[in-house]
Amino acid sequence: MNFKVPRGTQDLLPGVTEKWQKVEEIIRELCHLYRYPEIRTPIFESTELYTRSVGDTTDIVQKEMYTFKDRGDRSLTLRPEGTAGVVRSYVEHKMFGQPDQPIKLSYLGPMFRYERQQAGRYRQFVQFGVEAIGSKDPAIDAEVISLAMNIYSKVGLQDVKLVINSLGDQEVRANHREALVNHFKPHIDEFCQDCQSRLEKNPLRILDCKVDHDHPLMATAPALTDYLNEESANYFDKVKQYLDVLGISYEVDPNLVRGLDYYNHTAFEIMSTSKGFGSITTLCGGGRYNGLVEEIGGPESPGIGFGMSIERLLLALEAEGKELNIEDQLDMYIVAMDEDAKLKAVELASSFRAKGISTELDYTDRKMKAQMKSADRKQATWVIVLGETELAEQQVAVKHMATGDQEKVPFFDLVEYLTKQKQKQMEEK
């Protein structure tokens, strides 16, 4: 029987994983600068956590969750997004009681959604995200957006744009909801089944419909920004002022809504504008979720965060023709001529690696010529050949592959010699 990777998943092979590691390295460096330490939550949670937080009218809950019963007949769900689990942990561990607020956290790991596979979208995907919980200051909204934008800048993306909107507070949402119902109701039979069911439950979600997005009523739908009360409008203005101070360009899109029920006030998406990227342009999305902590059982603790697909980030790099600066240099390749030389090669390799000198040797008993070809394919910086003469003289010729230069070095000086040579190379770079 031929087994294949499950549909909607992928194997990340060497040559590709290095790109992921580089992106993760950049992300962790920026999280350190912004002071968003990592939190790691389980990959499955109680199903009710997602129905209460994400919303039972969302596509995620209705169509996309991987839900199962365990042996105790408890309903569990593989996490479809990161915020709910982080907020659950925030409440469970009483982080709201810590003296310094907001609590700033980051996460990076696999998420699971049952949806049709397409470019940059998988059923198991990796999401990076941050959450800042415990502050309703618009400055923290700008900081969160700044962190996301800086990640794309650091990896080398240029064709990106930030789109923002305000979803307002509960009063604004209620007034806008009524206007949306009145707008769509006379012609709701022209819309898909999902939109018809959303009309009464959550009409704002109609604006996020992928099926009917070209319907004429979409273009004339009441804009949320027209219903903002003074408090919500002032909050949105301050967020924009902070973005201006940070030098971050943005577009205001009155029809931008996020697909999760917990969002209010600031909502944003970062999109690729590269021509080769594809039809689904969103790279990252997030917003403010005041009220979510209370929904999960904690005290009033306003929050904001975002989720970023690593797959789509790499796809955007490919669309722009950008390469990550990945250093994977092999320092030393040891060629062993016989069994006695192999023993010494293993010993030397261990000594080199202990000092940070990456080392490779042959484990298939190939001839010298084949081993030298292997060293060349692996682009080793140096090669040494061990045979009877080298073992007898207790020294070896270190060959610099780029120049062809060789220098004889005693075994007892090899580690120090290579360490100095590597340090010299690093300084020259």
Side-chain angles (χ1 to χ4, degrees):
M1 183 175 181
N2 294 323
F3 291 100
K4 293 186 177 181
V5 66
R7 188 173 183 179
T9 65
Q10 60 178 331
D11 293 320
L12 300 176
L13 305 180
V16 175
T17 52
E18 289 84 355
K19 296 178 182 179
W20 284 71
Q21 290 164 354
K22 184 63 178 181
V23 169
E24 291 164 6
E25 177 189 326
I26 291 169
I27 285 172
R28 290 192 169 98
E29 286 176 357
L30 281 170
C31 283
H32 175 72
L33 292 176
Y34 278 76
R35 310 307 293 169
Y36 282 78
E38 184 181 13
I39 182 172
R40 301 187 182 187
T41 61
I43 64 169
F44 60 86
E45 300 267 6
S46 166
T47 301
E48 188 181 4
L49 174 66
Y50 298 113
T51 58
R52 288 177 67 90
S53 60
V54 175
D56 56 9
T57 64
T58 61
D59 285 349
I60 290 177
V61 170
Q62 291 188 342
K63 302 176 182 180
E64 298 173 359
M65 294 202 313
Y66 282 93
T67 298
F68 60 96
K69 290 286 188 74
D70 69 3
R71 294 188 178 185
D73 202 37
R74 292 172 287 260
S75 181
L76 301 172
T77 296
L78 296 179
R79 61 186 183 195
E81 57 91 47
T83 299
V86 172
V87 173
R88 187 268 310 149
S89 183
Y90 173 87
V91 173
E92 182 175 349
H93 297 285
K94 297 182 174 58
M95 297 184 200
F96 48 80
Q98 294 182 18
D100 294 320
Q101 298 289 324
I103 300 297
K104 303 200 294 187
L105 302 165
S106 65
Y107 61 85
L108 178 68
M111 309 290 163
F112 306 85
R113 295 185 193 178
Y114 187 87
E115 56 184 344
R116 184 171 62 87
Q117 182 179 345
Q118 49 192 303
R121 180 168 287 183
Y122 296 89
R123 292 176 179 176
Q124 176 180 319
F125 57 97
V126 176
Q127 189 177 86
F128 164 70
V130 306
E131 315 294 345
I133 311 173
S135 171
K136 56 183 179 181
D137 187 338
I140 196 70
D141 298 32
E143 179 181 276
V144 165
I145 293 171
S146 168
L147 173 53
M149 293 294 286
N150 262 329
I151 289 171
Y152 293 124
S153 175
K154 287 290 185 182
V155 299
L157 287 177
Q158 294 179 322
D159 300 337
V160 295
K161 71 173 181 179
L162 169 65
V163 179
I164 61 174
N165 190 25
S166 174
L167 303 182
D169 56 21
Q170 289 184 346
E171 176 191 355
V172 173
R173 294 285 290 271
N175 292 336
H176 183 240
R177 180 189 184 282
E178 183 180 357
L180 285 175
V181 171
N182 293 335
H183 178 76
F184 286 112
K185 194 169 186 178
H187 302 277
I188 195 62
D189 57 342
E190 299 172 12
F191 287 76
C192 68
Q193 280 300 129
D194 287 339
C195 285
Q196 291 180 34
S197 65
R198 290 166 179 159
L199 181 66
E200 298 299 335
K201 293 181 179 179
N202 190 354
L204 187 64
R205 294 278 293 115
I206 296 176
L207 300 177
D208 200 34
C209 180
K210 303 297 186 291
V211 176
D212 297 314
H213 64 279
D214 289 328
H215 193 286
L217 284 180
M218 291 293 203
T220 58
L224 224 165
T225 47
D226 293 335
Y227 290 81
L228 294 183
N229 53 28
E230 185 177 0
E231 181 181 352
S232 296
N234 288 339
Y235 191 93
F236 192 41
D237 284 341
K238 288 180 180 178
V239 172
K240 290 184 286 185
Q241 288 172 15
Y242 282 115
L243 291 174
D244 292 338
V245 166
L246 292 171
I248 298 175
S249 301
Y250 56 86
E251 295 179 13
V252 177
D253 182 356
N255 291 322
L256 172 65
V257 296
R258 298 294 301 142
L260 310 181
D261 282 0
Y262 52 61
Y263 285 115
N264 48 58
H265 284 295
T266 308
F268 67 92
E269 289 186 357
I270 301 172
M271 304 174 179
S272 171
T273 58
S274 177
K275 292 181 180 179
F277 187 70
S279 58
I280 302 175
T281 60
T282 302
L283 301 174
C284 168
R288 181 160 280 282
Y289 47 81
N290 302 350
L292 179 58
V293 173
E294 296 94 302
E295 181 68 27
I296 293 178
E300 181 182 358
S301 303
I304 184 169
F306 67 75
M308 172 186 295
S309 165
I310 304 301
E311 288 87 349
R312 297 190 70 75
L313 183 156
L314 291 168
L315 196 65
L317 282 170
E318 184 179 331
E320 291 191 26
K322 298 292 175 60
E323 293 290 336
L324 292 165
N325 182 24
I326 298 171
E327 293 186 6
D328 187 29
Q329 181 63 49
L330 172 61
D331 297 322
M332 170 62 71
Y333 192 103
I334 305 175
V335 176
M337 302 293 288
D338 53 36
E339 275 301 313
D340 290 337
K342 175 69 74 66
L343 285 171
K344 187 64 179 179
V346 170
E347 177 192 338
L348 288 174
S350 179
S351 300
F352 296 160
R353 291 164 180 161
K355 291 297 183 179
I357 300 166
S358 60
T359 307
E360 185 66 279
L361 59 151
D362 178 62
Y363 293 103
T364 56
D365 297 325
R366 289 178 292 183
K367 301 296 184 182
M368 176 180 171
K369 185 176 181 181
Q371 292 186 56
M372 291 298 292
K373 285 183 177 180
S374 178
D376 192 51
R377 285 194 300 271
K378 294 175 183 289
Q379 297 182 318
T381 302
W382 301 288
V383 170
I384 58 175
V385 179
L386 296 176
E388 289 184 7
T389 302
E390 287 75 20
L391 294 177
E393 296 179 354
Q394 291 291 292
Q395 64 178 356
V396 68
V398 179
K399 181 179 181 179
H400 192 284
M401 293 293 280
T403 64
D405 295 339
Q406 297 189 85
E407 185 172 351
K408 285 199 172 184
V409 182
F411 285 160
F412 65 83
D413 276 343
L414 265 175
V415 172
E416 183 179 355
Y417 172 81
L418 291 172
T419 301
K420 288 181 178 178
Q421 290 296 313
K422 186 172 182 179
Q423 182 63 37
K424 183 180 178 181
Q425 278 191 334
M426 293 173 65
E427 289 172 356
E428 289 175 351
K429 288 182 180 180

